[in-house]
Amino acid sequence: MGNLSLTSLSFDIVVLGGGIVGTACAREFAEAGLRTALIESAEIGGGATAAGMGHIAVMDDSEAQFALTRYSQLLWKEAAERFPPDVEFSPSGALWVAADETEMREVFRKQHYYIQRGVPVEVLDARSLAEAEPNLRPGLEGALLVKEDAVVYPPCAARFFITEAQQHGATLILGKRAVGTRGNTVQLDDGSYIAYGNLVIANGIVAQSLTSSVQLEPRKGHLVITDRYPGFVSHQIIELGYLKSAHSIQSDSVAFNVQPRPSGQILIGSSRQYGLDDSAVDMKIVSAMLRRAFEYMPGLRRLSAIRSWTGFRAATPDKLPLIGPSPEAENIYLATGHEGLGITTSLGTAKLLADMILGRRSAIAKDPYLPSRSYALHA
Amino acid sequence: MRSMPEIITFSINGSPVRVSGGTSVATAILISGETAFRRSVSGEPRTPLCGMGVCFECRVTINGLQHCLSCQTVCQDGMEVQTG
Amino acid sequence: MKRRQFASVVVVGAGPAGLAAAIRASESGRQVTVLDDNPSAGGQIWRGEKDRRSGNDASAWFQKFRTCPAEMITGARLIHGDPERRILSVETRQEFFEIGYDKLILATGAREFFLPFPGWTLPNVMGVGGLQALVKSGLPVDGKRIVVAGTGPLLLAAAAYFRKHGAIVPVIAEQAEWRSVAGFGIRLSKNLGKLFQARSLRLALRSSRYTFSTWVEAAHGKDRLENAQVRTGAKVWREPCDYLAVGYGLKPNIELPVLMGCRTQSGVVAVDEFQQTSQEHIYCAGECTGIGGVDKSLIEGEITGLAAAGLKDSARRLFAKRRKTRQFANVLDRAFALRPELRQLPLDGTIVCRCEDVRWGRLRPMNSWRSAKLESRCGMGPCQGRVCGQILEFLLGWHPESVRPPVFPARLESLTQDSEMKESLRT
């Protein structure tokens, strides 16, 4: 089988990209009975999937963002029953921390928003916050606890999804890169072609090289991970100022965001930089990011850092992903542009795409994510 | 004139230990008879491997600070060392 | 003493190469700062020699170093550097600081190469250099039984050292064949007997079995080492011991040079005739340019110190001497090449990555270092793959990934920067 000529192969669905989104899509299609292939040029879950934090988070930037993140979060919860231990699914909850009264008002606004939409949350005052996270500095106003937010180890989640896809008959083609499409075939870098009924482009920022209809911008992020300090942090903790930082379209920014890994390690973020394609770790950004973290958690200073790295989020102008048929060809679908939420929204993305291709009814409205939408230019 | 070797007094897991000046914490722990500098991720006891700051097997807690390299640290008066 | 924020020459590593470089650069009128992560100068080979009064090589070099005006900072670990701004980030137990330089000399030395075998994670199984370092730091081994195993001339030097401190060394298990080592000995006695001192060799051999084509295939014991399972040909026996000192030679520490952008070739830092790396202001000397022993390190250090001080003619006069020491390095490589049977030592349950306890059976089917890291956490612990990386290079032919800061685990506070100030201090 190893030397099977791919030239002769044809599939109902060919997925490009073995990250969390591509593998989730392949699994969805294969389970629906479609003849599916996934093409990945490097490792499964080795790109932006491996670079991110692995936070399964509900977000309320816009109604559309909320709908997709919440829908996806519930799908994760459901899928988690079958995860092997290395997926490290851990429903630790997230704390949005308010440093002052203004931010505390935002806590109450979010609380109201989430309660109306059935998301379990709880407001913590200064004292209960200090009890929940004793290593936060004293004097914080309080926090919103989002109870169903979870943590996952994305590379192994992607590995699990592709394994399930393969169990449903999907074909995994590793070590080959898609270089273009012609007719209903995708051309690989070894010169072979694979025919498809529908093509799904799910390779993150690389998608731009395959279709001219995609407007994606890489947003560089840095992360640092520590040695094992079990119990130092218990929840994903994010400063409410994160919203300002994540919202900022142009300027470089950092925000306090820590995550307890099931190993006891602490993952520290976050940063956003624009207009860069150099993946080198920039110590100026790491420094700014850590200083911000020390303001919230002074005890971090003396903990041992093992590694730092960077990754690129694929961002769209309106900060919503591109899910659906590409404007160029009816049978080429996009599943990219997930910015910093790709781990969370991978499962919702896979459902929506399968619904479109199979003509099924969707659980949430698909229009806000269609690549053919026009962007509200609030940039 | 020969000076007496300096004696350092500190503690390993709460028990007082006396060693001569210049002794590394790793050496002092071995002299004390302890065979688990740390527990590995799967619970195995470990002792130093490289002895020169590369392998990180000799990590212990010194004065409350976890993950210190005992092979690169010289014993000091009053130091509190925790293994395991 | 107030620490410098800038030195015209910064030397990283205070082993023979670093000390020789610092002395020569300092004699040439340069302001020199030496940084080393060990508690005292000397590197691995001269550990504990600083205060000895014996008239050997080490004490002569220490004497020169003491009288030269170079600044020495021990317990200082380099965690990051910026070759563009020419600044290094350094951490000590108490603090962290940045230091600027005009010329940087990297003499980062080597580490021991380990191979995994069943039981190698048991307490009291240690590296040859590792156990020696502990004994140098005061570990008593009087009356202890120490099996010494692995490969290379360091086995003999270490065995002699342990015996001098009262240990019983029942066997020195050299994996190489006697034929190739004998050839090495002959060539050695012709020109470079120094590293491999004949007297200590005789002492080590006197009541120890020095056996060739012999290796330790397992270590046994309940909570700690009790005996080593030794194989020579078809013969296998268990040798009771308190310590097993096992090492398969040395590998250069190239992570810092790589982080600083220096080009490497076949696993060592590539340098020109003046020991300059592909980075204009960075030089390398000693084991990180190729394993060759103390003579090579000293002469390379001297050349580097002179070249960094701009004294190219003086440096050139030492080239002939360096050539000889490099020939020796090649001989060493050939005489102690690792035998293929050693690849069969780990069983599926044998731990390969000691930081994350990743076992051979998990790694064997994987096809790249990257997927092993992603899926099994191999190499993701605090040693940053320094131990398992070279093992997997030997066992599976995988090559380590790029180096990112921090080049050693460091306190988070040490990854913050204070200012851009040091740049303006450069003249």
Side-chain angles (χ1 to χ4, degrees):
Chain A
M1 281 300 284
N3 289 326
L4 188 72
S5 164
L6 296 173
T7 320
S8 61
L9 292 183
S10 114
F11 296 90
D12 296 335
I13 300 271
V14 171
V15 179
L16 303 183
I20 195 84
V21 174
T23 55
C25 288
R27 179 179 83 136
E28 196 64 40
F29 297 129
E31 283 184 358
L34 297 174
R35 287 171 17 84
T36 305
L38 184 142
I39 301 169
E40 166 56 50
S41 60
E43 284 86 16
I44 290 296
T49 298
M53 266 189 156
H55 185 193
I56 307 301
V58 61
M59 297 286 280
D60 63 348
D61 235 24
S62 62
E63 282 299 338
Q65 189 191 55
F66 170 78
L68 186 60
T69 52
R70 179 59 177 161
Y71 175 47
S72 299
Q73 187 178 62
L74 294 172
L75 292 170
W76 273 99
K77 214 176 142 185
E78 193 186 308
E81 289 165 18
R82 294 194 312 283
F83 288 160
D86 65 3
V87 177
E88 296 185 347
F89 184 84
S90 150
S92 48
L95 284 170
W96 290 87
V97 175
D100 53 33
E101 283 176 31
T102 317
E103 289 184 0
M104 203 58 198
R105 280 198 289 279
E106 174 64 10
V107 162
F108 289 115
R109 189 202 62 75
K110 279 168 99 71
Q111 178 198 27
H112 182 71
Y113 183 92
Y114 284 140
I115 285 178
Q116 275 190 329
R117 288 159 183 79
V119 180
V121 293
E122 186 187 331
V123 171
L124 305 189
D125 62 11
R127 183 189 293 184
S128 9
L129 177 60
E131 278 167 17
E133 292 291 349
N135 283 308
L136 281 172
R137 74 166 162 85
L140 294 166
E141 283 288 317
L144 184 74
L145 170 62
V146 183
K147 295 179 178 178
E148 289 181 350
D149 273 17
V151 164
V152 69
Y153 181 60
C156 285
R159 164 62 60 189
F160 171 75
F161 293 152
I162 194 65
T163 304
E164 284 213 326
Q166 287 174 292
Q167 282 161 3
H168 285 88
T171 301
L172 172 60
I173 300 164
L174 269 183
K176 298 192 195 322
R177 189 185 304 275
V179 291
T181 58
R182 201 171 64 191
N184 285 336
T185 62
V186 54
Q187 186 186 359
L188 303 183
D189 57 356
D190 63 355
S192 61
Y193 290 85
I194 296 181
Y196 57 80
N198 291 290
L199 182 70
V200 174
I201 299 178
N203 47 10
I205 199 75
V206 185
Q208 297 182 104
S209 63
L210 290 166
T211 164
S212 57
S213 62
V214 177
Q215 279 186 56
L216 292 174
E217 199 191 345
R219 289 187 184 167
K220 186 175 177 179
H222 284 74
L223 287 174
V224 175
I225 195 160
T226 69
D227 206 329
R228 295 168 185 242
Y229 297 92
F232 191 91
V233 180
S234 311
H235 304 81
Q236 174 98 17
I237 310 178
I238 313 126
E239 64 162 304
L240 271 165
Y242 177 89
L243 297 173
K244 293 170 215 155
S245 129
H247 281 204
S248 161
I249 299 293
Q250 286 311 324
S251 61
D252 294 356
S253 62
V254 295
F256 167 60
N257 185 351
V258 293
Q259 180 185 84
R261 298 302 311 171
S263 61
Q265 291 174 284
I266 303 164
L267 201 46
I268 305 167
S270 62
S271 74
R272 279 176 159 75
Q273 287 174 281
Y274 303 89
L276 297 172
D277 53 12
D278 173 11
S279 67
V281 169
D282 178 346
M283 290 308 281
K284 280 201 288 294
I285 297 293
V286 169
S287 178
M289 195 171 89
L290 291 176
R291 280 179 197 284
R292 188 72 182 158
F294 300 159
E295 284 175 31
Y296 282 82
M297 256 187 177
L300 287 172
R301 290 179 154 277
R302 308 275 296 166
L303 304 193
S304 179
I306 293 184
R307 245 182 356 266
S308 68
W309 67 93
T310 65
F312 290 96
R313 310 167 177 99
T316 60
D318 65 357
K319 308 190 66 215
L320 289 172
L322 306 172
I323 307 168
S326 97
E328 301 158 275
E330 229 170 56
N331 62 345
I332 297 181
Y333 287 79
L334 300 179
T336 181
H338 293 75
E339 218 269 348
L341 288 169
I343 308 301
T344 302
T345 54
S346 58
L347 294 188
T349 300
K351 283 276 184 224
L352 287 179
L353 264 191
D355 294 343
M356 292 176 204
I357 288 170
L358 295 164
R360 303 188 303 211
R361 233 179 102 89
S362 289
I364 60 170
K366 58 185 189 298
D367 303 2
Y369 324 107
L370 290 175
S372 57
R373 70 184 181 265
S374 58
Y375 296 116
L377 290 174
H378 57 239
Chain B
M1 196 183 96
R2 265 226 324 259
S3 58
M4 288 289 288
E6 188 195 3
I7 296 292
I8 307 290
T9 307
F10 69 108
S11 76
I12 297 175
N13 299 329
S15 307
V17 177
R18 286 156 59 86
V19 295
S20 50
T23 304
S24 75
V25 173
T27 297
I29 295 170
L30 286 168
I31 293 171
S32 81
E34 179 60 60
T35 49
F37 279 60
R38 68 178 195 103
R39 291 276 161 184
S40 78
V41 169
S42 63
E44 291 185 357
R46 294 283 169 80
T47 50
L49 176 70
C50 77
M52 53 187 78
V54 171
C55 73
F56 285 72
E57 285 287 24
C58 70
R59 278 172 288 157
V60 295
T61 300
I62 299 179
N63 296 337
L65 190 63
Q66 294 173 67
H67 306 301
C68 294
L69 294 184
S70 61
C71 78
Q72 299 281 75
T73 310
V74 176
C75 297
Q76 281 165 13
D77 271 316
M79 208 175 231
E80 291 177 9
V81 175
Q82 296 284 332
T83 65
Chain C
M1 187 175 78
K2 193 169 168 359
R3 205 191 42 242
R4 282 182 195 143
Q5 294 187 320
F6 173 83
S8 64
V9 176
V10 170
V11 179
V12 179
L19 290 179
I23 290 163
R24 290 292 170 246
S26 190
E27 285 172 353
S28 314
R30 299 297 148 140
Q31 192 190 37
V32 179
T33 294
V34 185
L35 304 164
D36 193 285
D37 58 352
N38 289 280
S40 59
Q44 300 314 320
I45 184 110
W46 288 348
R47 186 189 284 262
E49 299 273 346
K50 186 164 69 99
D51 302 318
R52 295 228 328 254
R53 306 237 180 275
S54 55
N56 64 7
D57 243 23
S59 60
W61 283 99
F62 274 120
Q63 178 59 29
K64 276 185 221 166
F65 186 63
R66 259 193 300 273
T67 53
C68 89
E71 176 191 39
M72 173 78 223
I73 306 176
T74 54
R77 187 154 252 188
L78 235 122
I79 55 175
H80 176 55
D82 183 338
E84 302 299 315
R85 293 162 65 220
R86 279 190 262 168
I87 286 178
L88 303 169
S89 301
V90 184
E91 178 181 278
T92 67
R93 261 182 68 75
Q94 293 80 26
E95 53 169 3
F96 62 96
F97 60 89
E98 292 176 340
I99 184 167
Y101 61 83
D102 258 341
K103 303 287 177 194
L104 174 62
I105 297 175
L106 299 176
T108 48
R111 57 177 176 260
E112 215 163 353
F113 179 41
F114 302 108
L115 286 175
F117 55 89
W120 77 302
T121 56
L122 270 177
N124 297 343
V125 178
M126 295 177 183
V128 175
L131 183 57
Q132 201 176 1
L134 289 162
V135 176
K136 284 180 177 179
S137 150
L139 178 69
V141 289
D142 192 19
K144 302 281 187 195
R145 289 177 67 85
I146 303 176
V147 168
V148 177
T151 204
L154 287 180
L155 299 189
L156 290 169
Y161 187 84
F162 298 145
R163 284 180 51 88
K164 206 171 83 187
H165 285 77
I168 300 149
V169 180
V171 59
I172 304 165
E174 167 60 61
Q175 59 89 36
E177 289 175 27
W178 75 267
R179 209 184 305 269
S180 65
V181 177
F184 165 76
I186 291 159
R187 269 165 287 193
L188 188 72
S189 59
K190 267 189 206 149
N191 37 39
L192 290 149
K194 236 162 150 191
L195 182 137
F196 199 14
Q197 285 155 348
R199 201 173 147 269
S200 53
L201 179 76
R202 281 199 305 276
L203 186 69
L205 286 172
R206 202 171 50 197
S207 58
S208 302
R209 289 174 60 196
Y210 181 42
T211 62
F212 298 96
S213 304
T214 305
W215 60 93
V216 169
E217 56 182 16
H220 302 284
K222 198 165 169 285
D223 301 315
R224 66 172 80 183
L225 175 73
E226 288 163 17
N227 62 72
Q229 184 175 320
V230 188
R231 172 181 290 273
T232 185
K235 189 181 154 205
V236 179
W237 77 98
R238 288 192 180 195
E239 191 69 55
C241 52
D242 300 292
Y243 293 103
L244 166 58
V246 56
Y248 286 93
L250 300 175
K251 295 276 182 190
N253 289 322
I254 59 168
E255 286 79 4
L256 182 60
V258 168
L259 182 80
M260 296 299 283
C262 304
R263 200 169 59 77
T264 61
Q265 203 167 24
S266 319
V268 305
V269 181
V271 288
D272 70 7
E273 55 178 356
F274 292 103
Q275 303 289 133
Q276 189 179 323
T277 68
S278 60
Q279 292 281 340
E280 194 190 342
H281 302 286
I282 305 179
Y283 297 76
C284 267
E287 307 285 45
C288 55
T289 69
I291 303 300
V294 67
D295 290 340
K296 170 177 169 292
S297 291
L298 285 168
I299 194 72
E300 286 191 2
E302 290 190 79
I303 291 170
T304 305
L306 292 166
L311 302 176
K312 290 202 163 180
D313 288 338
S314 309
R316 194 172 280 118
R317 281 195 282 275
L318 301 175
F319 286 179
K321 206 170 155 193
R322 180 181 57 191
R323 204 169 303 126
K324 282 187 192 165
T325 64
R326 285 184 175 170
Q327 285 162 359
F328 168 65
N330 293 334
V331 172
L332 200 68
D333 254 11
R334 281 198 305 274
F336 295 100
L338 296 183
R339 59 195 313 128
E341 290 96 321
L342 298 173
R343 290 198 170 83
Q344 312 305 321
L345 288 180
L347 305 177
D348 276 359
T350 306
I351 284 171
V352 173
C353 168
R354 300 172 61 119
C355 292
E356 295 290 336
D357 285 1
V358 186
R359 291 165 204 276
W360 177 231
R362 180 99 203 261
L363 294 166
R364 201 165 34 87
M366 292 188 177
N367 49 28
S368 72
W369 187 218
R370 175 93 180 138
S371 46
K373 281 181 130 178
L374 289 173
E375 286 181 45
S376 74
R377 310 179 57 91
C378 183
M380 303 285 262
C383 97
Q384 302 174 324
R386 281 179 170 79
V387 176
C388 63
Q390 48 203 30
I391 290 174
L392 291 166
E393 195 163 358
F394 176 72
L395 294 177
L396 295 170
W398 295 348
H399 295 290
E401 292 187 304
S402 63
V403 179
R404 284 173 301 210
V407 73
F408 272 104
R411 293 189 302 276
L412 284 163
E413 63 181 4
S414 308
L415 301 185
T416 58
Q417 303 177 330
D418 39 48
S419 66
E420 315 285 296
M421 189 166 69
K422 276 90 193 179
E423 275 170 301
S424 60
L425 295 170
R426 188 173 305 116
T427 46

mmCIF file of all heavy atoms in Angstrom, chain A residues 115-129:
data_model
loop_
_atom_site.group_PDB
_atom_site.id
_atom_site.type_symbol
_atom_site.label_atom_id
_atom_site.label_comp_id
_atom_site.label_asym_id
_atom_site.label_seq_id
_atom_site.Cartn_x
_atom_site.Cartn_y
_atom_site.Cartn_z
ATOM 1 N N ILE A 115 -25.246 34.606 31.427
ATOM 2 C CA ILE A 115 -26.404 33.998 32.100
ATOM 3 C C ILE A 115 -27.601 33.970 31.156
ATOM 4 O O ILE A 115 -28.299 32.958 31.040
ATOM 5 C CB ILE A 115 -26.716 34.756 33.416
ATOM 6 C CG1 ILE A 115 -25.677 34.367 34.473
ATOM 7 C CG2 ILE A 115 -28.126 34.415 33.916
ATOM 8 C CD1 ILE A 115 -25.836 35.079 35.796
ATOM 9 N N GLN A 116 -27.807 35.077 30.440
ATOM 10 C CA GLN A 116 -28.908 35.136 29.466
ATOM 11 C C GLN A 116 -28.818 34.034 28.430
ATOM 12 O O GLN A 116 -29.811 33.595 27.878
ATOM 13 C CB GLN A 116 -28.856 36.483 28.731
ATOM 14 C CG GLN A 116 -29.555 37.610 29.446
ATOM 15 C CD GLN A 116 -29.661 38.826 28.536
ATOM 16 O OE1 GLN A 116 -28.788 39.048 27.692
ATOM 17 N NE2 GLN A 116 -30.726 39.590 28.706
ATOM 18 N N ARG A 117 -27.595 33.616 28.153
ATOM 19 C CA ARG A 117 -27.395 32.612 27.098
ATOM 20 C C ARG A 117 -27.090 31.222 27.656
ATOM 21 O O ARG A 117 -26.623 30.343 26.931
ATOM 22 C CB ARG A 117 -26.281 33.088 26.162
ATOM 23 C CG ARG A 117 -26.733 34.248 25.283
ATOM 24 C CD ARG A 117 -25.568 35.050 24.736
ATOM 25 N NE ARG A 117 -26.066 36.181 23.956
ATOM 26 C CZ ARG A 117 -26.522 37.313 24.491
ATOM 27 N NH1 ARG A 117 -26.539 37.474 25.795
ATOM 28 N NH2 ARG A 117 -26.957 38.290 23.722
ATOM 29 N N GLY A 118 -27.332 31.067 28.933
ATOM 30 C CA GLY A 118 -27.233 29.736 29.528
ATOM 31 C C GLY A 118 -25.826 29.222 29.767
ATOM 32 O O GLY A 118 -25.603 28.010 29.874
ATOM 33 N N VAL A 119 -24.851 30.120 29.865
ATOM 34 C CA VAL A 119 -23.474 29.693 30.139
ATOM 35 C C VAL A 119 -23.238 29.795 31.649
ATOM 36 O O VAL A 119 -23.411 30.865 32.226
ATOM 37 C CB VAL A 119 -22.458 30.591 29.397
ATOM 38 C CG1 VAL A 119 -21.032 30.148 29.696
ATOM 39 C CG2 VAL A 119 -22.727 30.565 27.903
ATOM 40 N N PRO A 120 -22.835 28.696 32.289
ATOM 41 C CA PRO A 120 -22.634 28.740 33.740
ATOM 42 C C PRO A 120 -21.447 29.633 34.120
ATOM 43 O O PRO A 120 -20.314 29.367 33.707
ATOM 44 C CB PRO A 120 -22.353 27.283 34.124
ATOM 45 C CG PRO A 120 -22.722 26.475 32.927
ATOM 46 C CD PRO A 120 -22.584 27.361 31.735
ATOM 47 N N VAL A 121 -21.728 30.694 34.868
ATOM 48 C CA VAL A 121 -20.673 31.612 35.326
ATOM 49 C C VAL A 121 -20.935 31.994 36.777
ATOM 50 O O VAL A 121 -22.031 31.767 37.291
ATOM 51 C CB VAL A 121 -20.616 32.908 34.487
ATOM 52 C CG1 VAL A 121 -20.161 32.624 33.070
ATOM 53 C CG2 VAL A 121 -21.963 33.633 34.489
ATOM 54 N N GLU A 122 -19.921 32.578 37.391
ATOM 55 C CA GLU A 122 -20.060 33.027 38.773
ATOM 56 C C GLU A 122 -19.134 34.222 38.975
ATOM 57 O O GLU A 122 -17.991 34.204 38.514
ATOM 58 C CB GLU A 122 -19.642 31.873 39.694
ATOM 59 C CG GLU A 122 -19.857 32.121 41.166
ATOM 60 C CD GLU A 122 -19.269 31.000 42.022
ATOM 61 O OE1 GLU A 122 -19.207 29.832 41.547
ATOM 62 O OE2 GLU A 122 -18.840 31.295 43.148
ATOM 63 N N VAL A 123 -19.645 35.229 39.654
ATOM 64 C CA VAL A 123 -18.793 36.387 39.958
ATOM 65 C C VAL A 123 -18.080 36.138 41.286
ATOM 66 O O VAL A 123 -18.699 35.747 42.262
ATOM 67 C CB VAL A 123 -19.627 37.687 40.022
ATOM 68 C CG1 VAL A 123 -18.768 38.847 40.557
ATOM 69 C CG2 VAL A 123 -20.169 38.044 38.649
ATOM 70 N N LEU A 124 -16.763 36.320 41.284
ATOM 71 C CA LEU A 124 -15.989 36.197 42.527
ATOM 72 C C LEU A 124 -15.618 37.593 43.008
ATOM 73 O O LEU A 124 -15.147 38.411 42.220
ATOM 74 C CB LEU A 124 -14.700 35.402 42.296
ATOM 75 C CG LEU A 124 -14.792 34.002 41.681
ATOM 76 C CD1 LEU A 124 -13.428 33.322 41.755
ATOM 77 C CD2 LEU A 124 -15.827 33.145 42.394
ATOM 78 N N ASP A 125 -15.817 37.862 44.295
ATOM 79 C CA ASP A 125 -15.344 39.141 44.823
ATOM 80 C C ASP A 125 -13.859 38.998 45.170
ATOM 81 O O ASP A 125 -13.266 37.931 44.997
ATOM 82 C CB ASP A 125 -16.181 39.574 46.034
ATOM 83 C CG ASP A 125 -16.076 38.588 47.197
ATOM 84 O OD1 ASP A 125 -15.206 37.694 47.146
ATOM 85 O OD2 ASP A 125 -16.871 38.711 48.146
ATOM 86 N N ALA A 126 -13.294 40.086 45.661
ATOM 87 C CA ALA A 126 -11.846 40.094 45.898
ATOM 88 C C ALA A 126 -11.421 38.931 46.785
ATOM 89 O O ALA A 126 -10.428 38.251 46.515
ATOM 90 C CB ALA A 126 -11.442 41.418 46.532
ATOM 91 N N ARG A 127 -12.205 38.667 47.828
ATOM 92 C CA ARG A 127 -11.798 37.627 48.760
ATOM 93 C C ARG A 127 -11.893 36.232 48.141
ATOM 94 O O ARG A 127 -10.966 35.428 48.249
ATOM 95 C CB ARG A 127 -12.634 37.701 50.032
ATOM 96 C CG ARG A 127 -12.163 36.668 51.054
ATOM 97 C CD ARG A 127 -13.082 36.548 52.231
ATOM 98 N NE ARG A 127 -13.075 37.774 53.034
ATOM 99 C CZ ARG A 127 -13.755 37.894 54.176
ATOM 100 N NH1 ARG A 127 -14.499 36.902 54.618
ATOM 101 N NH2 ARG A 127 -13.711 39.022 54.858
ATOM 102 N N SER A 128 -13.014 35.948 47.474
ATOM 103 C CA SER A 128 -13.115 34.604 46.896
ATOM 104 C C SER A 128 -12.113 34.409 45.764
ATOM 105 O O SER A 128 -11.651 33.288 45.529
ATOM 106 C CB SER A 128 -14.530 34.263 46.423
ATOM 107 O OG SER A 128 -15.374 35.352 46.452
ATOM 108 N N LEU A 129 -11.759 35.510 45.091
ATOM 109 C CA LEU A 129 -10.721 35.390 44.058
ATOM 110 C C LEU A 129 -9.383 35.016 44.706
ATOM 111 O O LEU A 129 -8.673 34.132 44.225
ATOM 112 C CB LEU A 129 -10.593 36.698 43.272
ATOM 113 C CG LEU A 129 -9.490 36.742 42.216
ATOM 114 C CD1 LEU A 129 -9.684 35.654 41.156
ATOM 115 C CD2 LEU A 129 -9.418 38.108 41.535
#
